[in-house]
Amino acid sequence: MTQRRGRKAPRSFPRHGVRHVTHAFNISRRGLLAMAGAGLASATLPAALFAQQGRNILIIASGQDIPNFDPHVASGYSASFLMRNVYDPLVRVAGESAEPVPGLAQSWENSEDGLVWTFQLNPDAVFHSGAPVTAADVVYSFERALRLAKGNSWMIRGIVQPGQIEAVDDHTVRFTLDAPFAAFLAVMPWIFVAEQAQVEANLGEDDGQTWLMSNEAGSGPFTVERFQVGTMYYLARAENAWQPEGGNLDGVIWQIVRETATQRLMLQRGEAHVAVDLTSEDMDALEGAPGVVRVIEPEYRTFSIKMNTAQGPMADVNLRRAISHAVDYEAILASAGYAELMTGPLPNGIFGFDPDLDVPRQDLDKAREYLAQTEWADGGLTLRMVHVSGLEQQRRWSLILLDNLRALNIGLEIQPLNWPDMVAACASPETFPDLFPVYQTANYGDPDNIAYAAYHSSRNGGWSNAVYANPEVDALIEAGRVETDPEKRAAIYLEFQKAVVADAPDIFGVLENRKLGLREAVQGYRFTPVASNAIEAWPLSL
């Protein structure tokens, strides 16, 4: 048996020049009112937030709304921010190595054959209602996630089955897996535990999904105090927060700021403590800015443009191949700044990655050869591409594609949308646009993360893979999940990459460095290369 326990004390982040200060950086009434210029009307703020003297409220500027508060439905980085702060998983990740550390579970062990995992819950853990977190709540939450088959449940689908999760006693949970899964512990931070009694008291006709759209049933260090969609989400420190090693924050504001340049200006003026959507130009402009710390770190963060492989003209693989060869990848890279080109569907350098994979690069002769094999041999069609409203980087890539497609006599209609509207468009092939740009950040450093989330057909209807379905690719992904021999597993992922490139469901773009801006008054910050823009606020102080 192998066993791990304990939590390492958080350390500061000096390598990026954080200077620790002894004073608190409090946002005053004047500072809060200044946010109105960034899209926050003063009337939307609770009165209590206008008198901040002596209170430590962290303000994070983000361009993405939180779609809902259901831990087993919502996904995306804004949802991950809320879940990491309002709910608890069994295990968390911490540090630059994304090491597993205790969450609800204070210790765990696994059997030699890798099939049985046993977690011991922290007896101090309580929900916001005051009720203790029990093993029954854990079983309920995992089975609800599997039952709904939404959100992050794909991470355990085919690995954990209902009925194979057992509450041994009030504080012991045992999982018996269908097959060994190398990444099992790594996915545990993304399955969050909800209070069974709270959800079942509000089941309605959809297993509590309607209630959890705007209510929460968590045990995390913060609660949802109030919110206004499209404007801000205010999380207050839970009165009965049980988690050890917390900072001094009284609350966190997730401030919706659509324009990245406005996020940068708010950071410079001290109207926000953290900005999470900054461009390379923003980072360059912040170099040497007083009181600002830049974080520029590599992580498994891909940017690709997904194509509607199930409906409309993009269902023709030769049109997809033509477009893939028309793209000026060097222009995409130059626009990205701190990045490198992707080589196929997997992040560069991850286990199983093939650096010699033959992927499309700009070749207009080849693009025209593929186009000639379609019903649009001479072009003459117009495609529709959406992107996140206010996200400058995606707008630029859309314009690059617009220019590239002119060489094939193909038009491009570009439509900016708010993130919840983009998510809604993924519900069916009929509503999904021809071209859909996606950032995908690995939640765990294993090829299964990107492979399953972005290319397995069970993800259809969600933003990470709205429509793409290929039985050969599905079979390779499923085989890679359960293979324990490293050489055999690597070989499976080599075949997976070749199959996806041949099918051309995506335009493979860039692997970006994470770019964050912080006020230097933020103390206790540690970069973790998974979901790093979903800031975990509990360890932080001002």
Side-chain angles (χ1 to χ4, degrees):
M1 307 281 264
T2 59
Q3 186 164 347
R4 306 167 180 86
R5 66 178 69 241
R7 181 191 291 267
K8 293 183 179 179
R11 58 176 176 81
S12 61
F13 197 55
R15 85 184 224 190
H16 295 286
V18 172
R19 177 173 62 85
H20 293 292
V21 293
T22 56
H23 64 278
F25 184 80
N26 293 312
I27 301 298
S28 65
R29 173 186 171 90
R30 180 178 179 181
L32 286 167
L33 286 170
M35 286 187 229
L40 176 58
S42 60
T44 66
L45 281 168
L49 294 184
F50 284 112
Q52 293 302 321
Q53 298 303 321
R55 300 192 71 209
N56 295 312
I57 307 295
L58 184 79
I59 297 178
I60 302 173
S62 164
Q64 190 176 105
D65 262 300
I66 298 172
N68 70 69
F69 304 161
D70 192 327
H72 309 135
V73 171
S75 62
Y77 85 82
S78 55
S80 294
F81 158 77
L82 182 127
M83 302 311 163
R84 294 181 93 178
N85 289 288
V86 173
Y87 289 87
D88 283 309
L90 287 172
V91 176
R92 295 188 176 276
V93 289
E96 294 172 36
S97 63
E99 60 185 298
V101 297
L104 288 172
Q106 61 184 1
S107 65
W108 52 88
E109 59 185 27
N110 63 291
S111 60
E112 294 294 341
D113 61 7
L115 293 177
V116 180
W117 288 80
T118 305
F119 295 85
Q120 298 294 330
L121 303 187
N122 189 325
D124 295 334
V126 293
F127 289 107
H128 299 149
S129 68
V133 179
T134 69
D137 293 299
V138 176
V139 174
Y140 171 78
S141 296
F142 274 79
E143 294 198 340
R144 181 176 186 268
L146 290 168
R147 185 166 63 246
L148 295 180
K150 297 179 179 180
N152 293 335
S153 67
W154 62 268
M155 296 183 185
I156 55 172
R157 193 173 304 136
I159 303 297
V160 178
Q161 300 291 347
Q164 295 179 354
I165 315 163
E166 177 188 3
V168 179
D169 56 42
D170 281 351
H171 295 101
T172 307
V173 182
R174 180 182 297 140
F175 294 79
T176 302
L177 311 186
D178 275 358
F181 180 36
F184 180 71
L185 195 62
V187 305
M188 286 296 97
W190 306 106
I191 310 297
F192 295 91
V193 175
E195 184 179 1
Q196 180 177 1
Q198 285 264 39
V199 179
E200 290 192 336
N202 297 278
L203 277 181
E205 297 180 354
D206 59 0
D207 214 341
Q209 291 182 76
T210 297
W211 185 74
L212 284 168
M213 284 285 292
S214 55
N215 296 276
E216 51 94 355
S219 61
F222 296 91
T223 62
V224 179
E225 183 75 11
R226 49 182 60 85
F227 66 96
Q228 181 167 327
V229 174
T231 301
M232 70 96 179
Y233 300 78
Y234 174 52
L235 309 185
R237 186 185 184 106
E239 292 182 4
N240 58 354
W242 61 272
Q243 294 78 3
E245 301 171 4
N248 70 0
L249 297 183
D250 296 302
V252 186
I253 294 175
W254 184 261
Q255 171 67 52
I256 306 302
V257 183
R258 304 292 182 196
E259 302 295 333
T260 61
T262 306
Q263 291 187 25
R264 171 174 58 81
L265 290 172
M266 289 177 65
L267 193 69
Q268 288 177 285
R269 294 194 297 251
E271 296 165 5
H273 300 98
V274 184
V276 297
D277 295 317
L278 300 176
T279 66
S280 296
E281 288 79 6
D282 291 324
M283 299 305 285
D284 291 341
L286 287 172
E287 186 172 8
V292 174
V293 177
R294 301 183 309 158
V295 177
I296 304 171
E297 286 285 341
E299 63 177 351
Y300 295 134
R301 184 190 186 211
T302 64
F303 170 80
S304 59
I305 300 173
K306 294 189 169 292
M307 296 183 265
N308 191 338
T309 57
Q311 180 83 14
M314 306 301 285
D316 188 325
V317 65
N318 285 312
L319 181 59
R320 301 198 300 272
R321 291 168 177 163
I323 290 173
S324 296
H325 284 90
V327 173
D328 186 344
Y329 293 92
E330 292 301 324
I332 287 179
L333 179 62
S335 176
Y338 301 98
E340 58 182 314
L341 285 177
M342 289 177 66
T343 305
L346 291 182
N348 301 4
I350 205 167
F351 174 82
F353 167 71
D354 182 2
D356 300 319
L357 191 66
D358 184 15
V359 294
R361 292 292 182 248
Q362 188 173 40
D363 184 335
L364 290 178
D365 289 338
K366 188 172 288 188
R368 293 186 180 103
E369 288 178 14
Y370 282 121
L371 190 64
Q373 300 176 54
T374 74
E375 62 181 281
W376 305 278
D378 298 318
L381 73 158
T382 297
L383 303 174
R384 184 170 73 95
M385 179 172 179
V386 301
H387 69 80
V388 177
S389 178
L391 198 52
E392 177 63 16
Q393 198 70 71
Q394 287 193 3
R395 187 186 73 86
R396 291 180 185 178
W397 283 322
S398 302
L399 293 175
I400 290 170
L401 196 57
L402 169 70
D403 184 61
N404 296 159
L405 292 181
R406 287 186 179 128
L408 300 182
N409 191 30
I410 294 175
L412 186 66
E413 173 194 340
I414 300 171
Q415 181 182 11
L417 292 174
N418 292 335
W419 178 243
D421 295 326
M422 287 183 65
V423 172
C426 298
S428 71
E430 291 74 23
T431 57
F432 192 62
D434 299 303
L435 296 144
F436 187 93
V438 170
Y439 288 107
Q440 290 191 286
T441 302
N443 296 113
Y444 50 100
D446 188 275
D448 176 72
N449 191 164
I450 296 295
Y452 203 103
Y455 299 101
H456 195 276
S457 63
S458 67
R459 302 296 294 135
N460 289 172
W463 63 267
S464 63
N465 178 21
V467 298
Y468 180 62
N470 180 323
E472 177 191 359
V473 170
D474 279 359
L476 288 167
I477 293 170
E478 290 160 11
R481 300 196 98 191
V482 300
E483 179 57 64
T484 57
D485 182 281
E487 289 187 12
K488 292 180 180 178
R489 194 166 189 250
I492 290 169
Y493 283 111
L494 290 178
E495 292 304 312
F496 158 77
Q497 291 165 85
K498 292 176 184 177
V500 171
V501 169
D503 216 7
D506 294 2
I507 297 168
F508 306 114
V510 294
L511 190 72
E512 283 199 310
N513 283 1
R514 174 63 65 192
K515 301 179 288 290
L516 303 172
L518 287 78
R519 294 296 302 185
E520 64 178 7
V522 178
Q523 300 181 38
Y525 175 77
R526 301 175 70 191
F527 180 80
T528 301
V530 293
S532 55
N533 53 347
I535 303 295
E536 195 163 24
W538 179 243
L540 305 182
S541 292
L542 293 174

